[in-house]
């Protein structure tokens, strides 16, 4: 398997280098040189395969011999050891629950796979591998859980002060050991910009072995494709399937596009966002205009300049930008919603179906409804990206009742937060890294 940068399609690197480096030197994003199709018999007989089988076969096909099969099977089996069930609201609307992992968010799939893969590639290295990651909510907790006490690794998480939920914050600030948290007085976009600047700082990278655990790392993206196959497998009606993806940094949707390119018969994708709607706006107008993110109820989607948009453009690449836009909007529709609409959707889903949905899933519910009004007969799957208990005060206020908090979250309430406060600037973060890491 070879990979190129979205900013340079003529130079290639190995999977190991792409995973451990995280970001190409030119500040692009790594993409596979080719996306091989899965056998039609595999797609046709998905119901005969376990979730772990699917993860292994998809990865084996994509990696094309980059890792011996025996080692790869162990990586996928260890990473995908919890379920992703589909729950039906009605005949044409379904929920894919992606919160059954250790941190109760969809990013557990990517973080656990990445931890296994990095640990495999890091064997024999004498220097510590430092995973530097920015989070808008769920990434930090998933990465912390995935890499906790992994030998030879340190994790440093940057998160925006006051812009993640209390329980999300506890997930990334209470573990200790090889996990450190930096609380940035700014937005997620500030955190993400600092991380990217660190990777381009030759002085820093010459002294510290840096890599990323954001969805900018290709090893985070690949495993997110697994559950699209798993969801499709569980559907009784596999005709006219559309996936509705609550979207922030757009790694989750990009992974769905990867699954489609590998042969999964998805009719259409729906990008559902809050008021941070730069991608829906692009799909409507053809103009991509990133801007500072705004805080919302669905905080994990508060992203004003989504990193994975570069990968989306690459997948629909055309020599003329207008053609790239035409190609993309033929496959993806975008919708955006306010917090007021989101609150109403949380209440509506509960009142109508008795299902407690989190604010991000509620945005997806609204987008699927709007899409299906214009496209009747489609079979829609909403990605429920996190357990509603992670947004406890908001969800309970909307429903005017208490909801059950899983034990994995409940035990965090009384734990002490440990985080270093940082301004939204690169230099102080660089100084901290050089002081605290070897």
């Amino acid at each position: 398997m070879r990979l190129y940068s979205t900013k340079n399609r003529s130079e290639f690197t190995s999977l190991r280098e792409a995973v451990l480096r995280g970001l190409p030197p030119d500040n692009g994003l790594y993409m596979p040189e080719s996306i091989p199709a899965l056998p039609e018999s595999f797609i046709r007989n998905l119901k005969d395969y376990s979730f772990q089988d699917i993860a292994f076969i998809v990865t084996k096909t994509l990696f094309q011999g980059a890792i011996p099969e025996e080692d790869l099977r162990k990586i996928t089996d260890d990473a995908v050891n919890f379920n992703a069930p589909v729950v039906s609201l009605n005949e044409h609307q379904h929920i894919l629950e992606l919160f059954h992992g250790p941190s109760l968010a969809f990013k557990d799939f990517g973080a656990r796979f990445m931890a296994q893969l990095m640990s495999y590639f890091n064997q024999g290295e004498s220097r510590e591998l430092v995973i530097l990651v920015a989070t808008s909510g769920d990434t930090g907790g998933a990465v912390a859980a995935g890499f906790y006490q992994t030998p030879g690794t340190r994790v440093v998480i940057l998160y925006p002060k006051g812009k993640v939920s209390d329980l999300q914050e506890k997930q990334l600030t209470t573990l200790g050991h090889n996990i450190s948290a930096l609380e940035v007085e700014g937005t997620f976009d500030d955190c993400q910009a600092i991380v990217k600047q660190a990777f381009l700082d030759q002085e820093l990278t010459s002294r510290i072995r840096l890599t990323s655990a954001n969805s900018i790392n290709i090893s985070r993206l690949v495993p997110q494709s697994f559950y699209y196959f798993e969801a499709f497998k569980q559907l009784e009606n596999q005709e006219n399937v559309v996936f509705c993806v609550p979207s922030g940094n757009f790694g989750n949707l990009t992974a769905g596009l990867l699954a489609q390119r590998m042969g999964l018969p998805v009719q259409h994708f729906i990008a559902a966002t809050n008021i941070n709607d730069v991608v829906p706006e692009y799909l409507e107008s053809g103009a991509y205009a990133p801007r500072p993110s705004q805080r919302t109820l669905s905080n994990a989607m508060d992203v004003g300049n989504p990193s994975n948009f570069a990968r989306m453009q690459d997948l629909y690449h055309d020599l003329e930008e207008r053609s790239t836009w035409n190609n993309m909007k033929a496959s993806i529709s975008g919708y955006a919603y306010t917090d007021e609409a989101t609150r109403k959707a949380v209440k509506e889903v509960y009142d109508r179906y008795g299902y407690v949905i989190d604010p991000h899933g509620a945005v997806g519910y609204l987008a699927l409804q709007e899409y299906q009004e214009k496209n009747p007969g489609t079979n829609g799957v909403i990605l429920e990206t996190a357990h509603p208990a992670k947004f406890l005060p908001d969800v309970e206020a909307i429903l005017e009742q208490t909801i059950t908090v899983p034990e994995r979250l409940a035990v965090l309430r009384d734990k002490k937060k440990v985080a270093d406060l940082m301004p939204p600037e690169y230099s102080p973060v660089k100084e901290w890294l050089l002081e605290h890491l070897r």
Side-chain angles (χ1 to χ4, degrees):
M1 182 188 192
R2 300 197 306 173
L3 300 100
Y4 60 84
S5 167
T6 52
K7 290 189 175 180
N8 184 355
R9 288 167 159 255
S10 62
E11 292 186 11
F12 300 94
T13 192
S14 68
L15 177 64
R16 182 184 186 277
E17 183 177 349
V19 170
L20 294 181
R21 182 189 287 272
L23 200 66
D26 61 11
N27 202 26
L29 294 178
Y30 285 117
M31 286 289 285
E33 178 186 13
S34 63
I35 301 175
L38 290 153
E40 289 184 15
S41 59
F42 170 72
I43 302 295
R44 189 169 57 249
N45 299 307
L46 273 174
K47 291 185 187 298
D48 296 336
Y49 296 92
S50 70
F51 196 3
Q52 289 180 321
D53 290 337
I54 289 171
F56 170 66
I57 293 168
V58 169
T59 311
K60 182 181 71 170
T61 302
L62 189 61
F63 283 6
Q64 301 179 65
I67 295 176
E69 288 191 15
E70 183 178 347
D71 295 330
L72 188 59
R73 182 82 209 205
K74 185 178 187 307
I75 289 170
T76 54
D77 282 358
D78 288 348
V80 184
N81 61 358
F82 49 91
N83 296 325
V86 171
V87 176
S88 295
L89 298 180
N90 56 53
E91 186 181 354
H92 298 293
Q93 295 181 331
H94 315 276
I95 304 269
L96 173 61
E97 292 186 344
L98 298 174
F99 53 69
H100 293 275
S103 79
L104 304 172
F106 78 97
K107 294 178 181 179
D108 283 323
F109 290 96
R112 289 175 63 80
F113 181 86
M114 170 185 286
Q116 296 290 331
L117 195 59
M118 284 187 176
S119 180
Y120 175 82
F121 282 140
N122 201 43
Q123 294 176 96
E125 291 284 349
S126 58
R127 293 171 63 204
E128 191 173 59
L129 183 65
V130 178
I131 295 95
L132 186 64
V133 60
T135 185
S136 58
D138 288 326
T139 292
V143 169
F147 282 89
Y148 182 57
Q149 295 187 332
T150 298
T153 66
R154 279 284 301 275
V155 176
V156 180
I157 302 167
L158 281 70
Y159 72 98
K161 178 180 173 62
K163 296 179 175 66
V164 301
S165 76
D166 290 343
L167 286 175
Q168 283 176 321
E169 185 177 40
K170 287 291 183 74
Q171 284 187 310
L172 52 98
T173 61
T174 60
L175 284 177
H177 195 70
N178 64 327
I179 312 296
S180 300
L182 302 181
E183 185 179 14
V184 177
E185 296 180 300
T187 66
F188 168 73
D189 295 313
D190 294 322
C191 298
Q192 186 161 257
I194 290 169
V195 168
K196 286 188 174 183
Q197 193 168 347
F199 283 108
L200 300 176
D201 185 332
Q202 293 185 1
E203 180 197 1
L204 183 68
T205 55
S206 69
R207 297 172 63 179
I208 299 172
R209 289 183 65 221
L210 277 184
T211 191
S212 173
N214 281 88
S215 56
I216 58 177
N217 194 307
I218 192 70
S219 66
R220 258 281 306 279
L221 192 70
V222 170
Q224 291 176 209
S225 69
F226 301 161
Y227 44 72
Y228 285 91
F229 293 92
E230 175 66 13
F232 191 90
K233 177 187 87 175
Q234 294 178 52
L235 295 175
E236 290 298 323
N237 177 10
Q238 296 180 337
E239 299 294 322
N240 304 319
V241 174
V242 299
F243 280 96
C244 184
V245 188
S247 301
N249 225 7
F250 279 81
N252 217 358
L253 195 147
T254 305
L257 298 175
L258 180 64
Q260 185 186 48
R261 291 292 175 92
M262 294 187 74
L264 190 66
V266 182
Q267 185 183 93
H268 200 74
F269 288 92
I270 304 165
T273 74
N274 53 36
I275 58 173
N276 297 286
D277 61 347
V278 292
V279 172
E281 187 179 84
Y282 168 82
L283 292 168
E284 179 68 27
S285 68
Y288 184 64
R291 51 186 175 268
S293 59
Q294 300 180 63
R295 186 179 180 182
T296 74
L297 185 66
S298 48
N299 66 285
M301 304 187 329
D302 294 350
V303 183
N305 188 13
S307 284
N308 282 286
F309 184 70
R311 284 193 172 114
M312 294 168 64
Q313 286 185 304
D314 189 82
L315 285 168
Y316 293 101
H317 173 73
D318 198 286
L319 294 178
E320 298 181 16
E321 169 57 32
R322 199 71 175 175
S323 297
T324 299
W325 171 59
N326 285 329
N327 294 340
M328 193 185 298
K329 73 174 186 173
S331 297
I332 309 168
S333 297
Y335 300 93
Y337 300 95
T338 63
D339 279 355
E340 181 183 2
T342 303
R343 288 187 179 93
K344 289 179 179 177
V346 171
K347 187 76 164 59
E348 179 180 318
V349 171
Y350 184 76
D351 289 345
R352 184 175 292 182
Y353 303 109
Y355 187 88
V356 181
I357 198 167
D358 93 294
H360 306 76
V363 171
Y365 172 77
L366 290 167
L368 180 61
Q369 277 197 318
E370 188 167 346
Y371 178 81
Q372 288 184 323
E373 285 174 5
K374 299 176 183 177
N375 299 273
T378 52
N379 197 22
V381 180
I382 303 160
L383 273 60
E384 170 67 332
T385 55
H387 195 286
K390 296 188 78 170
F391 314 96
L392 195 65
D394 291 321
V395 174
E396 288 187 337
I398 293 166
L399 299 181
E400 299 179 327
Q401 61 179 281
T402 59
I403 64 172
T404 302
V405 179
E407 181 64 19
R408 279 169 288 175
L409 284 182
V411 296
L412 297 175
R413 284 173 166 161
D414 298 326
K415 289 194 174 184
K416 183 181 178 182
K417 161 189 163 183
V418 179
D420 289 337
L421 193 63
M422 292 283 159
E425 301 162 7
Y426 174 63
S427 293
V429 173
K430 177 180 178 179
E431 290 175 12
W432 187 97
L433 292 171
L434 290 173
E435 180 182 347
H436 289 80
L437 306 176
R438 65 176 186 265

